[in-house]
Amino acid sequence: MAKKDIKDFVCKPFCSFYREGEKEELICNGARLLEMLVTRGILSPDELSCVKAGSCFAAGKNLELERAVCLRCPFRPDGCDFMSKSPPPDAEPCGGYVLLDLLAACGIITGNDLEIINGT
C-alpha cells in the first residue's frame, strides 16, 4: 500500500491531526499496522473503504489497541495527549487507532489479527 493510499484511507478521513499539504515523513503506528494488514492479505482495501469516518467510534481507550498501536508509535515520545497519564477530556487518538477501532467494532478485524501482525 502506497503512502498516498494510507493518507487517503486513514489520515484524511480519520485523523484530526492530518493537515493537507503538510509534508509528514512518519505515519502513526496505527496506519503502519493497517498497511501491514493489507499487505499480508488480512484486510482488503475494500474493507477499509466500507468504514465511514464518524461511524460508531466509541471515544475512549481500548486496551488491545493501546498495546498494539500506542506502545510502539513514533509520535508517543513527543507527547501524545491521548496516551498521557492525565489526558485532557478532548484528547483524540490518531487516525490509525480510530480506524482500527471501527474495524474491530464492525467485526472486520480481531485482536488476534493485531497480535499476529505486531508480533506481540
Side-chain angles (χ1 to χ4, degrees):
M1 183 177 256
K3 195 171 214 174
K4 181 186 180 316
D5 293 338
I6 291 171
K7 288 181 180 178
D8 290 340
F9 283 114
V10 181
C11 305
K12 287 179 185 178
F14 295 100
C15 189
S16 63
F17 307 106
Y18 178 77
R19 299 293 175 258
E20 186 72 47
E22 286 187 26
K23 186 175 181 180
E24 181 63 60
E25 294 300 320
L26 294 174
I27 59 171
C28 68
N29 199 43
R32 185 187 66 80
L33 291 174
L34 285 157
E35 180 179 43
M36 292 172 69
L37 288 166
V38 171
T39 300
R40 294 190 184 180
I42 297 170
L43 185 62
S44 75
D46 289 339
E47 289 171 316
L48 284 176
S49 62
C50 79
V51 177
K52 302 297 180 213
S55 62
C56 69
F57 175 68
K61 295 191 178 184
N62 174 321
L63 293 178
E64 280 185 324
L65 285 179
E66 282 182 40
R67 218 173 28 253
V69 176
C70 303
L71 291 179
R72 296 183 182 146
C73 187
F75 294 110
R76 187 172 182 179
D78 291 332
C80 173
D81 285 344
F82 186 73
M83 287 303 299
S84 70
K85 290 184 182 183
S86 300
D90 61 346
E92 294 181 29
C94 63
Y97 185 106
V98 170
L99 183 52
L100 285 165
D101 188 61
L102 291 168
L103 291 166
C106 295
I108 296 171
I109 62 165
T110 66
N112 191 45
D113 294 328
L114 295 174
E115 288 176 15
I116 289 169
I117 207 74
N118 216 11
T120 56

